[in-house]
Amino acid sequence: MKSIFWAAVGMCAGTVFAADSITFHKNVEPILQKNCQSCHRPGQIAPMSLLTYQGTRPWAKAMKAAVVSRKMPPWFADPKYGHFSNDRALPQSDINTIVAWADGGAPEGNATDAPRPIAWPADGWLVQPDYVVKGPTYKVPAKGVLAEVVVPSGLSKDTWITSLEIKPSAYKVAHHICVSFIAHKPDVKYGVPVWVDEQRDETGSALPRAKGVRNELPGVPGVAKDERALIGTRFNPRGVEGCYVPGHQVMDYRAFHAAKLVPANTDIVFQLHYSAAGTPMTDKPEVGFTIAKEPPQRRYISYNSQPSVGTDSSVFRIPPNDPNWQSPPAEIFFNEDVQLVSMMPHMHERGKDMTYNLEYPTGEKQIILKVPRYDFNWQLGYETDVKVRKGSKMTVDAHFDNSPNNKSNPDASRPVYYGDQTGEEMMAPFFGVVVEMKQDPEKVITVKGGRGRGGP
Ligand code: HEC
């Protein structure tokens, strides 16, 4: 009896739903606010704005296709593993709503049904910063480049920052922009671009190199040897503090009651990587911080390059035409209890998949993130909350596709070695942890075979 009653109510509700048509303001706009507008608004990376009905209406059919295929919003974690607080994947009910709206002629509905518009921070920020450091004004040539430029932070006291956001101005060409903190040196040359380089062949791809050796490219125009030497003494041997990459959100440590220390008189290195747009452009990147109002309870630590696998070309060599080359794993040992709060797989154009596995001291194993179809164009951070006990080990596995079937592959006929340029490769499982203030940040992890130098 009871079940018949509920079936009847269900049918009734279904009928009401269909008759009362799905409208933009009532049903679709809330979904766009939550899942789309961070990118689809003026001044952001997406090609069109989805802030208004007028702006959205012409895209109804394309939106249906994009959400049904799960091309939008970009999200690549296999839902079988892990839990992510920034999970952008639409629930099936939201997909159904967008489909029904598009199929029903994309009606506007009543403006009084609209949710309150989101007050996005000014000037294209996602988090309104308390303090902004202007990076260099960089003339991006027609061909893609990777360069480092030092600027002063302007912070004359030790400062605990609670979020870090990097904002390019030329989204079209900004491939990644990372910042690291370095100690001020009196002879620093602010604003002078310095090349980060490998020994390259005539096609511009990295050559093999011996274990532990950092190749230097002699005679890079305009860069004296001593200028190059200025780079590389980062405070954080674990690598960069944060990056802008397409689709990446702000690094906000407040969610974990944590902060990161920027020592007094720090200089900031902007590591700039632009993709060729065919025409020269100018980028004016900035980094914005929110600043702790009171002493932080916990410390946020980013591990952004130390866990990378192998610059050694005898182990890291992706053969030509190999569709599924397995990299040696990254192995990270936890010497302390930590809260693992973020992961960001980083590979280049031949990256195929990456899986983060955790093995607890009890021997229990768990996959905490699996990205089965890595997309080089979307480097996403996955925010999580995993309590990792001292004595645990994280093993990260990755595969690379150096075959012509990989649409991003610029050249399947050559072996690929480790290198910073995107036509070279990296196997870099970035992650972030939060620890108590009394824990020594230098002793939290040990990396087997890590490369221990900065830069993604
Ligand atoms: C992280 C940023 C981001 C988010 C979030 C996002 N988009 Fe996009 N979207 C983009 C970018 C960049 C493009 C253009 C490049 C591309 O098509 O991959 C795009 C393209 C599109 C297109 C054109 C697709 C095509 O095939 O030409 C549609 C439609 C779209 N988005 C709808 C949505 C909808 C609906 C949502 C939310 C449910 C959403 N997007 C969320 C960044 C985003």
Side-chain angles (χ1 to χ4, degrees):
M1 190 60 206
K2 208 171 176 185
S3 65
I4 294 170
F5 173 75
W6 283 113
V9 170
M11 269 170 67
C12 177
T15 320
V16 171
F17 202 54
D20 180 12
S21 74
I22 297 198
T23 72
F24 177 78
H25 289 307
K26 186 154 48 102
N27 310 97
V28 174
E29 201 173 351
I31 302 175
L32 303 185
Q33 285 190 339
K34 185 154 172 270
N35 301 288
C36 318
Q37 292 179 355
S38 61
C39 300
H40 286 273
R41 65 187 160 105
Q44 293 294 326
I45 56 173
M48 73 287 192
S49 165
L50 300 178
L51 290 186
T52 63
Y53 177 69
Q54 282 68 30
T56 307
R57 172 73 188 80
W59 292 96
K61 289 250 141 45
M63 282 166 55
K64 173 183 164 183
V67 297
V68 166
S69 65
R70 295 197 176 269
K71 187 180 169 214
M72 287 285 149
W75 185 257
F76 299 92
D78 184 333
K80 286 204 286 294
Y81 306 102
H83 295 283
F84 306 101
S85 58
N86 62 338
D87 190 340
R88 266 198 295 238
L90 290 185
Q92 192 57 45
S93 55
D94 286 357
I95 297 177
N96 296 348
T97 300
I98 290 175
V99 170
W101 175 69
D103 289 346
E108 174 168 15
N110 196 334
T112 54
D113 289 337
R116 191 193 279 262
I118 297 185
W120 294 103
D123 301 325
W125 295 100
L126 288 165
V127 167
Q128 195 67 53
D130 298 324
Y131 184 79
V132 174
V133 180
K134 287 202 184 316
T137 298
Y138 193 76
K139 288 205 171 49
V140 184
K143 245 177 128 229
V145 289
L146 184 74
E148 290 192 343
V149 186
V150 185
V151 300
S153 69
L155 295 168
S156 55
K157 317 190 283 227
D158 285 2
T159 305
W160 287 92
I161 58 169
T162 52
S163 75
L164 186 157
E165 179 177 358
I166 300 159
K167 189 167 70 78
S169 65
Y171 283 101
K172 219 180 172 157
V173 290
H175 172 265
H176 75 238
I177 299 179
C178 298
V179 299
S180 348
F181 301 144
I182 56 167
H184 175 73
K185 287 189 188 164
D187 56 352
V188 62
K189 292 206 175 70
Y190 288 134
V192 179
V194 174
W195 275 75
V196 184
D197 240 313
E198 305 289 320
Q199 195 122 35
R200 298 202 158 79
D201 65 12
E202 68 287 352
T203 69
S205 290
L207 291 169
R209 60 174 162 182
K211 195 175 166 68
V213 176
R214 176 122 171 88
N215 289 327
E216 299 294 339
L217 188 75
V220 174
V223 180
K225 244 196 154 67
D226 55 340
E227 280 174 32
R228 297 181 55 104
L230 293 177
I231 309 283
T233 46
R234 295 177 168 88
F235 285 130
N236 179 357
R238 300 173 287 272
V240 297
E241 301 293 345
C243 294
Y244 163 81
V245 284
H248 194 49
Q249 293 121 319
V250 184
M251 284 133 280
D252 197 333
Y253 318 129
R254 288 172 294 193
F256 319 109
H257 305 288
K260 205 180 242 191
L261 181 65
V262 186
N265 301 318
T266 289
D267 284 337
I268 297 184
V269 183
F270 276 78
Q271 191 190 60
L272 308 166
H273 186 175
Y274 297 99
S275 309
T279 47
M281 296 183 88
T282 299
D283 189 33
K284 295 181 182 175
E286 295 175 307
V287 55
F289 304 123
T290 51
I291 293 176
K293 309 274 180 299
E294 24 195 270
Q297 298 166 23
R298 310 171 75 204
R299 184 192 296 271
Y300 189 101
I301 310 177
S302 304
Y303 294 101
N304 284 345
S305 68
Q306 196 182 16
S308 297
V309 165
T311 53
D312 176 354
S313 46
S314 68
V315 286
F316 197 96
R317 176 186 183 275
I318 308 176
N321 294 305
D322 191 331
N324 197 32
W325 183 74
Q326 178 162 4
S327 163
E331 295 184 273
I332 297 114
F333 299 87
F334 291 91
N335 308 320
E336 302 266 345
D337 290 350
V338 304
Q339 184 186 2
L340 179 78
V341 295
S342 102
M343 289 172 273
M344 183 183 131
H346 178 73
M347 297 179 277
H348 292 166
E349 290 161 333
R350 289 154 176 107
K352 187 175 180 188
D353 59 59
M354 195 180 274
T355 306
Y356 288 62
N357 310 278
L358 201 58
E359 186 176 340
Y360 294 94
T362 54
E364 187 203 339
K365 288 186 189 161
Q366 189 191 1
I367 293 176
I368 51 173
L369 170 65
K370 189 179 181 91
V371 173
R373 274 177 304 283
Y374 179 80
D375 183 337
F376 167 70
N377 295 306
W378 290 109
Q379 313 233 355
L380 303 186
Y382 298 87
E383 286 177 14
T384 191
D385 179 6
V386 181
K387 303 263 177 303
V388 181
R389 310 283 318 170
K390 172 178 175 172
S392 300
K393 174 183 166 189
M394 186 159 75
T395 308
V396 186
D397 296 307
H399 293 88
F400 294 81
D401 181 354
N402 193 14
S403 78
N405 293 336
N406 172 0
K407 283 193 230 78
S408 306
N409 192 351
D411 182 0
S413 70
R414 57 167 302 133
V416 180
Y417 300 100
Y418 177 88
D420 294 323
Q421 300 278 2
T422 55
E424 301 149 6
E425 264 312 330
M426 289 190 64
M427 190 308 210
F430 293 2
F431 63 98
V433 305
V434 171
V435 298
E436 302 303 322
M437 293 306 281
K438 62 176 192 289
Q439 288 174 285
D440 180 347
E442 301 310 319
K443 300 211 170 119
V444 174
I445 64 164
T446 307
V447 178
K448 188 175 153 201
R451 68 194 184 105
R453 54 161 272 247

